[in-house]
């Protein structure tokens, strides 16, 4: 209970606990004077710092959970007792429950924010890696395109050479054929 509720909520509960228990002694039939205590006495009884008890008593008074009267000897040390509403708030552990709820909400908000930061970092890192990968792929594609261009130039040069060679071979074959044909025709048409 102590570690899950903020200090101010624990002190509110302790003040109400002390005053409510004193008020409910003898079934709540004691006179008001018997369950009215100065803030210093309350602070000593619950073992909390006087300044904390003093500042929190203002809140409890404002919420009508305690009633405070003036102390003529010490103005900064009024007398207080728990009201019916204060006894009810103590009995229902409302401040402890509210403190736990506040702490849980705070923890949930912090953990949600923390996870959002982690997700954001992961997203940024992923974007950077994807950008670097796409840049690398783009460079590889450019290199492959250049290789394809070089290969196509080589192939076209080779095909020109081949076609020139084929043309040259064809001319040679035609020339030889012509020569042979001319030889045969000249021998046939020779001396008769």
């Amino acid at each position: 209970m102590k570690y899950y509720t903020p200090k101010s909520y624990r002190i509110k509960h302790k003040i109400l606990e002390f005053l409510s228990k004193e008020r409910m002694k003898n079934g709540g039939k004691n006179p008001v004077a018997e369950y009215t205590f100065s803030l210093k006495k309350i602070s000593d009884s619950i073992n909390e710092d006087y300044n904390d008890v003093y500042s929190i008593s203002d809140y409890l008074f404002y919420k009508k959970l305690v009633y405070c009267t003036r102390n003529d000897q010490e103005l900064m040390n009024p007398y207080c007792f728990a009201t019916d509403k204060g006894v009810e708030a103590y009995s229902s552990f409302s401040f402890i429950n509210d403190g736990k709820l506040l702490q849980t909400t705070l923890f949930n908000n912090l953990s949600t924010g923390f996870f959002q930061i982690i997700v954001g970092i992961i997203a940024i890192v992923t974007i950077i890696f994807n950008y670097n990968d796409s840049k690398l792929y783009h460079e590889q594609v450019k290199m492959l395109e250049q290789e394809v261009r070089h290969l196509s130039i080589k192939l076209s040069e080779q095909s020109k050479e081949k076609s020139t060679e084929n043309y040259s071979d064809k001319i040679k074959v035609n020339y030889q054929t012509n020569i042979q044909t001319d030889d045969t025709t000249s021998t046939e048409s020779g001396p008769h």
Side-chain angles (χ1 to χ4, degrees):
M1 170 173 87
K2 184 176 181 178
Y3 300 107
Y4 297 114
T5 55
K7 183 178 180 182
S8 64
Y9 285 81
R10 288 194 315 267
I11 293 174
K12 288 173 192 171
H13 182 75
K14 284 171 118 178
I15 292 170
L16 290 178
E17 178 181 20
F18 173 74
L19 292 176
S20 296
K21 284 183 177 178
E22 291 297 324
R23 180 174 175 181
M24 298 317 293
K25 283 182 180 175
N26 197 16
K29 295 180 182 177
N30 290 338
V32 174
E34 289 189 22
Y35 56 82
T36 301
F37 299 93
S38 70
L39 283 181
K40 285 186 180 176
K41 171 71 175 155
I42 295 169
S43 172
D44 292 340
S45 298
I46 64 172
N47 200 22
E48 292 291 342
D49 182 50
Y50 172 77
N51 291 326
D52 292 338
V53 172
Y54 183 81
S55 65
I56 289 172
S57 68
D58 286 342
Y59 173 81
L60 295 175
F61 179 76
Y62 173 75
K63 289 292 189 177
K64 298 181 180 163
L65 300 173
V66 298
Y67 184 75
C68 297
T69 57
R70 189 170 140 172
N71 181 348
D72 290 329
Q73 283 81 28
E74 294 180 72
L75 291 176
M76 296 297 290
N77 188 21
Y79 293 109
C80 300
F81 67 88
T83 64
D84 292 341
K85 195 174 174 185
V87 172
E88 183 183 322
Y90 159 70
S91 300
S92 66
F93 284 76
S94 64
F95 285 113
I96 297 297
N97 294 332
D98 289 348
K100 285 180 183 177
L101 180 64
L102 176 70
Q103 199 72 358
T104 303
T105 304
L106 180 64
F107 176 76
N108 287 341
N109 289 345
L110 287 175
S111 61
T112 301
F114 178 72
F115 286 123
Q116 286 176 343
I117 289 170
I118 289 174
V119 167
I121 289 170
I122 290 171
I124 290 170
V125 168
T126 303
I127 289 169
I128 290 170
F129 282 138
N130 284 343
Y131 174 75
N132 288 339
D133 285 349
S134 69
K135 193 175 176 182
L136 179 70
Y137 294 144
H138 184 70
E139 289 172 4
Q140 287 177 344
V141 166
K142 275 187 169 181
M143 286 174 50
L144 288 173
E145 285 176 346
Q146 287 175 351
E147 284 182 33
V148 166
R149 260 189 249 123
H150 290 303
L151 286 173
S152 68
I153 291 171
K154 261 186 175 177
L155 282 174
S156 71
E157 287 174 358
Q158 285 178 352
S159 69
K160 281 181 185 177
E161 287 175 10
K162 190 74 170 172
S163 68
T164 307
E165 197 176 290
N166 284 344
Y167 182 72
S168 169
D169 287 347
K170 196 174 181 182
I171 290 176
K172 283 180 187 174
V173 167
N174 283 344
Y175 180 75
Q176 287 175 349
T177 309
N178 285 342
I179 288 177
Q180 289 174 356
T181 315
D182 284 342
D183 281 346
T184 10
T185 36
S186 60
T187 46
E188 283 175 11
S189 54
H192 284 299

